Amino acid sequence: LDAISDGSLAPGTRLTQEEIAEQFAVSRSPVLQALRLLKKDGLVQDAPGRGVLVAPLDLEWIGKLYEVRGALDALAAKLAVQRGSRIDTGLVAQGRKASRSKNVKSMIDADIAFHNAVYLASGNSLIADSAHLHWVHLRRVMGAVLQFSEQRESIWQEHVAIADAINAGDAARAVALSDEHAERARRNLLERLGEALDD
């Protein structure tokens, strides 16, 4: 899952039980179960002939995914303000440190930690539950882009602005910034992925 998420296993990469079992020094039985779970989540699909391959990225579906994420993020920000919640600014410092690293997994984890903090601050557990259904795919898309994106730092500037608006109790600004953040991410990801898929 980590290798698919961070782009180490690119879309279309063929996987076989034997190779994975050998790589992790385990029997084929747990590998088969893991591949079934990845297939259920839409991360791998049957390959022609034998084995499976890392599922290709569907740009239209990704666009829809970001529309849902944007709605959930904006709702979470609004509810966080209404509850008088605060976002830990330490998360931003960790995120900025991760964005300066070459470790894509750390960047993704820091981004998810920030958004999870906003979901938690909302006080509505259904938002986090709904968002978590999609994060496995969001991680993968982010991994494909963060490997070559110059926008790593600007993402955290946007996070700072969202956190500041929530902490200041400005619901309208927090919602607007959350909407803009999700829409900008959607546009940038689709543009970057479109370029990558054309290469």
Side-chain angles (χ1 to χ4, degrees):
L1 177 58
D2 284 342
I4 291 171
S5 295
D6 70 17
S8 303
L9 287 174
T13 302
R14 194 179 199 52
L15 306 171
T16 64
Q17 290 178 40
E18 295 81 7
E19 290 170 348
I20 297 170
E22 186 177 318
Q23 181 183 351
F24 289 102
V26 296
S27 72
R28 289 177 53 188
S29 181
V31 172
L32 178 61
Q33 181 61 24
L35 289 175
R36 281 184 184 143
L37 293 171
L38 291 170
K39 192 172 174 182
K40 181 179 76 70
D41 286 340
L43 297 171
V44 300
Q45 61 188 39
D46 290 326
R50 187 166 152 247
V52 296
L53 54 82
V54 177
L57 293 168
D58 179 333
L59 297 185
E60 183 181 349
W61 187 82
I62 290 165
K64 292 176 181 177
L65 183 65
Y66 264 82
E67 289 172 351
V68 171
R69 176 195 160 177
L72 291 171
D73 286 0
L75 176 60
K78 180 177 98 171
L79 294 176
V81 170
Q82 289 175 356
R83 293 182 72 226
S85 298
R86 295 190 61 78
I87 305 300
D88 179 6
T89 53
L91 290 169
V92 172
Q94 292 168 5
R96 284 193 153 143
K97 182 178 177 185
S99 75
R100 290 189 293 269
S101 77
K102 301 273 190 215
N103 188 323
V104 174
K105 183 179 183 309
S106 294
M107 290 182 237
I108 294 169
D109 289 346
D111 194 288
I112 291 172
F114 175 81
H115 287 281
N116 279 336
V118 177
Y119 302 151
L120 183 64
S122 77
N124 184 336
S125 62
L126 292 176
I127 294 174
D129 291 346
S130 300
H132 291 158
L133 293 173
H134 306 296
W135 270 106
V136 66
H137 297 286
L138 291 170
R139 282 175 58 97
R140 182 172 179 225
V141 175
M142 290 165 64
V145 170
L146 285 172
Q147 293 187 49
F148 52 84
S149 175
E150 315 83 44
Q151 291 148 11
R152 295 172 184 165
E153 185 59 31
S154 66
I155 288 168
W156 284 95
Q157 290 168 354
E158 293 170 24
H159 287 168
V160 168
I162 293 167
D164 286 349
I166 291 171
N167 292 347
D170 189 339
R173 183 163 170 71
V175 168
L177 290 169
S178 294
D179 277 337
E180 288 168 21
H181 177 64
E183 177 56 23
R184 190 174 291 113
R186 186 185 73 79
R187 281 196 318 267
N188 290 338
L189 288 167
L190 291 178
E191 181 182 323
R192 290 291 186 174
L193 290 173
E195 290 169 3
L197 293 175
D198 289 341
D199 290 345

